Amino acid sequence: MASQVSGQTSGKALVQGVGAFDFSSDIMIGLTQDGVIHAWNTAATSALGFAPGDIIGHPITHVFPELNALALRDCRPGSSVAEDGCCDMVAHHANGKPITLNLCVSPVLGEDNHILGFWIVAKDPSRKLRALFIQQPLVDCARLVGEPFLEKSVEVLAEALKVRWVVIGEINPEMPDTVRTVRFWADGQLQPNMDYPLAGTPCAEVAQNQICFIRSDVAEQFPKDAMLSEIGAASYLGVPLHSSTGRLIGLISVLHDAPIDEQTQPALILELFAGRAAAELERLKSSSSIERLGRIVEEAASETFLFDADTLNFILVNRGARENLGYTMEELRSITPVDIKPQIDDDQFHAVIAPLLAGEKEVVAFETVHQRKDGSTYNVAVRLQLLVDQEQKVFYAAIEDVTERNEALNELRSVTNRLDTVLNNATMAVFLMDDQQRCIYLNDAAERLTGYSHAEIEGSILHDLIHHTRPNGEPFPLHECAIDRALPEDNQMQGEEVFVHKDGSFYPVAYSASPIRNESGVAIGTVIEVKNISSELEARTARENFNAELKAQVDNALAERDAAEAQLRHAQKMEAVGKLTGGVAHDFNNLLQIIGGSLELLSRDVSGNERARQRVELALTGVARGTKLAQQLLAFSRKQPLAPRPVNLSRLTGNLGDMLHRALGEHIALKTVAESGLWDCFVDEGQLENAILNLAINARDAMPDGGMFTIELANAAVDDLFASRYPDVAAGEYVMVSLTDTGTGMPPEVRERIFEPFYTTKEVGKGTGLGLSMVYGLVKQSGGHVTVYSEPGVGTTFRMYLPRSIAPDTVQAEQVADVVAGGNETILVVEDDDDVRATVTALLNELGYATLTARHAAAGLAIVESGTKIDMLFSDVVMPGPVQSHELAKRAAKLIPGLAVLFTSGYAEKGIVNGGTLEPGVRLLSKPYTRDMLARKVRQCLDAR
């Protein structure tokens, strides 16, 4: 064990070892012959905490109390000496904690065997155990591949390096300033992936192809990196990831809220994982692209073939082609394209592919016939290319089945031939177009009308020749032409337009465009009939001028009389209708609402008491009769003739866009939201446009300082339970038009009278009070339903339910089962309206729930802060007082973990969300709601906790 140092002094002998042992992983300490520490390596500093400047010059007993001079000279420190001269001894760490080390003491001898000093070599047994504990999970992870490797690696690295955060990120060459996390481990679990800007972050240094190790204060060194401060990171280590070609593709980094333990060799471990992680990222990305491309080809609607350029044997045939031909892939590999082309032999096919093999053409296109395995045939259009795949030449063929197209063209030509004789003798100009809007026929009258011959116009798009420009010189795009929409919309189009003659002059025409259908009813072209109406327009103008002059004279004669009578009629109607409907019906309706609501709740309480039930039903009948009487008092006496037809509301509101923008003004934003798959409704389109404009004008007047006007279109199914609460609406399918403004809103006393004829809150001259009455009359006369919800300072929502357009013999909609699920949880009801609060509390109690009530949000917050057990908060959106409903919900959710929150409001749900009253993600039950709707929504919110 002793080392011989010939011809050296004690000091020189000790100094010679310093450079050699400083990088050793073992603790190495050099001593003088008196036991004074002379040398101290890095491993000793890491294990015992003393820096060389703090410990050199001190006796060894300062670290190993048992290692006195006698023990050193005997080379037997303690009693538990092993056969190799080593033993376990307790050392004192710089922080005062004892550490058990295994150490060996070796004397340094001179030429005369005189002791010059000592070397101490010590090892930490626990370090080896920690290394094994770290290494085994790393080895287990290395055995994984693909996605499992990436998922396991971040977990293993977090445990091995004792860090809180591990990130594997990918850098897209098209977005070099951003890293996209592929796996993100934080606080013991995987987190959702995200995009992370590189500017001003330590990751930016890694993206420059260098290792970045920030041992402390990383957030202070990178103040622009908001995430470092947010998560509380103190240290950072990042290593770049490179592809097999050396290109930077990402990074792997670890972060911790304290200095990273360097004894775990974090940089080495990350570098070892970097190569494997980069390879897995590259492989997954490559295989994903290849698999996706393979699926696209396999699932393509067109038939796709690959066959060898030398042998012509099939290499790959996609599923569509295999199924159409009736062959399996194994069968196809033994045949060639010539075998499925009965009209082409070997010589003819080689003549087709010769230009491709010679490089004269890149693509060859032709039409032929394919033969299935069962002998049947079908027409195909073929596009053939020559490709080189790893020095192997292959042909790629894209095949389209054109059997139906050819049949359609043949049928269209047949129709053309049959009509040719008749149409050439007609005085009306007639054009026939195919399914691509190309002219395939025009009669003699059409040639005379347009100035073009049949040869000049055949095969051209008719619109581009005779309808390409408006009279003012502006271009007329094809997609704006109603004539050319007849085929795609499968509808007959009629109207008047201005055509362009071959000589450039314009002339007015009346036209009719209708789809041409085959025997199956499929539209395969368009027939257009056109007539020059120049003379008719002149006569029409003269007639209109005469009528206008006559009307002006009559209007002037009646104007003075009408002005006087209007004043009298207005006063009489305001006096009679206003007093009658406003006084009697208003008070009567209030009483009926209270009586009817109470009776409906009472009806459930007397279940089983037949006599009481009959009396309640009799009373409800009286309420219904009273309701009808009140409605008659409030109904508008005028009966306007309607012309209802199926109307698509998305189209109608789209057409009204410009007019609505002008009516609302620049200071009011317009938004339209339409449900996908929207039904058509059955209504008078013109009257509905007037109704929407009336409501838009009212909304504009309610928003003098600007705001948002929202139109929502949705399908609506009214069930029997909802219909039973509103006798004037029948159960069935409707299309709902919801119009919401963010204006001043209306108090209850105004809201209850807005549909009364001649009732208005505007000053004289600013409104007649008939607009909303007309909306009400239109909806009711159309068999629909209209409601209004409003609160002062928030806004107003009108909802019109218009009947769905269906055939007379359509089966009636199925009845909706009245299935109600309750519970035994505790619900806090916060509602400022006493009657509504009492009603909903009674309904919830009837469903089995325990309830607590509050008149405003501040009172509700007091109940929450009292510590009372609450499972759900059910609150109106708009609340009086200093605390708003959303503030109540946020504070309650913090105080009661897992609290379910449900809001209610009389406004359109999307309108409120877009207006910003409610934060995203809240649950809302719109007023009015039925008992069934309340039960389902409450149960849904409670079960989702």
Side-chain angles (χ1 to χ4, degrees), residues 726-758:
Y726 300 95
D728 55 346
V729 61
E733 295 179 327
Y734 293 79
V735 182
M736 184 195 73
V737 186
S738 176
L739 304 104
T740 300
D741 67 63
T742 58
T744 56
M746 295 177 285
E749 62 271 20
V750 173
R751 188 173 65 243
E752 292 173 1
R753 297 187 59 193
I754 57 172
F755 290 126
E756 294 178 15
F758 306 109

Side-chain angles (χ1 to χ4, degrees), residues 141 144-157 168 182-185 189-190 284:
C141 179
L144 302 174
V145 295
E147 297 283 354
F149 169 80
L150 295 176
E151 291 187 4
K152 190 65 177 177
S153 62
V154 292
E155 177 184 356
V156 168
L157 286 173
I168 298 178
V182 177
R183 291 295 183 276
F184 180 19
W185 183 269
Q189 59 185 349
L190 285 171
L284 288 174

